[in-house]
Amino acid sequence: MQTSEQTSRMGRPKTPRLSRKAIGREALALFEEEKGLSIPRLAERLGVRQSSFYKHVTGRQEIIELARGSLVDRVRVPGPGTNEAGPDDLDTAIRRIFESLRKAYAQVPALLPELLTQPVSHPAALALYDRFAAIFLNAGVPEQLVLPTLETLDSAAIGASLDAITMESAWSINEEDRPSYPNLSAAQTAAATSQVDRFAFLADVLSAGLRAAINGGT
C-alpha cells in the first residue's frame, strides 16, 4: 500500500511546468511573433492559467524584464581585441557594442518601447552591461563616463532598430515643394546618390563625441 508521501511524489511532475525562465522566453517569442504582450495569450501559449503566473512574477512589468533577460541571450558579446596591442581601441569598442545591441533589438521591435519605460534589473542583462562596462574601461573610458556611454549607446541602438523597420526615408517632400526647401532637398538628393551606412555613421558620431568628452576632461 502506498503512503500519502509516495503518492504525492508520484503525482508531482519531474520538471516544473512553469518557471521564470520559461515565462521570459515565451514572452519574448510573443513580442517577436505577435507584436505585443497579452497575459491571457501568454498563459495560453504556456498551457497554464493566468493565476499561475503570480506564483513566479508580480505582474506585467516583471514579465517584460524576464523577456529582456531572454533577449540578452541573443546578444553576441564582443570579445577583447586579438591584436598584440591588447584590448580594442575606443572606436572599435563603440562600433562592436553598438552593432551587437542593434542586431539583437532589431529582432523584436515590439518589445523596445516597453524596455524604455523601466530600468534594467534582470541579472543576465546587468551582467551583460557589466561586461560592456569592462570593455569601455579597458579602452580608456573614464569611470564617470561609463554609464553615460552605455545609456547613450543603448538608446541609439534602440532608435536605430525602430527606425530601420518604420520607414525607408524620414523625409517626404513633394516635387513641386522642393524650391521651398532648397537645402533639405539638395541634401536628400546627395544622400540618394551617395549611399551612406547610417548605422556605421551613427557609431562613428557616438565614438567621436565620447572621444571629445574624454579629451575635454568631462
Side-chain angles (χ1 to χ4, degrees), residues 32-50:
E32 189 171 14
E33 298 166 16
E34 302 184 20
K35 315 307 179 190
L37 176 64
S38 161
I39 304 301
R41 182 72 183 112
L42 181 59
E44 180 183 347
R45 288 174 64 115
L46 286 164
V48 299
R49 297 179 179 179
Q50 290 184 57

Side-chain angles (χ1 to χ4, degrees), residues 120-188:
V120 180
S121 62
H122 193 284
L126 292 173
L128 173 70
Y129 288 108
D130 188 71
R131 293 179 72 179
F132 286 163
I135 291 171
F136 283 129
L137 287 169
N138 288 336
V141 177
E143 204 167 35
Q144 72 273 17
L145 290 179
V146 169
L147 276 185
T149 300
L150 288 174
E151 290 163 354
T152 300
L153 270 180
D154 207 42
S155 297
I158 288 176
S161 300
L162 289 172
D163 182 57
I165 56 98
T166 53
M167 64 186 79
E168 290 185 4
S169 174
W171 313 99
S172 178
I173 307 173
N174 294 326
E175 195 62 38
E176 62 272 18
D177 294 331
R178 288 188 175 278
S180 300
Y181 315 104
N183 301 302
L184 189 58
S185 296
Q188 188 181 45

Side-chain angles (χ1 to χ4, degrees), residues 5 9-10 29 54 60 62 67 75 79 89 92 98 110 112 122 132 146 174 203-204 206 209:
E5 183 180 354
R9 285 202 301 265
M10 289 176 64
Y54 300 105
R60 180 185 175 88
E62 195 167 358
V75 178
D89 61 28
T92 302
F98 172 75
L112 304 186
H122 193 284
F132 286 163
V146 169
N174 294 326
D204 287 343
L206 293 170

Side-chain angles (χ1 to χ4, degrees), residues 4 12 16 22 28 30 34 48 53-54 58 74 87 119 148 152 158 186 189 213:
S4 60
R12 191 175 301 155
L28 183 64
L30 196 59
E34 302 184 20
V48 299
F53 286 131
Y54 300 105
T58 57
R74 302 183 182 185
T152 300
I158 288 176
T189 299

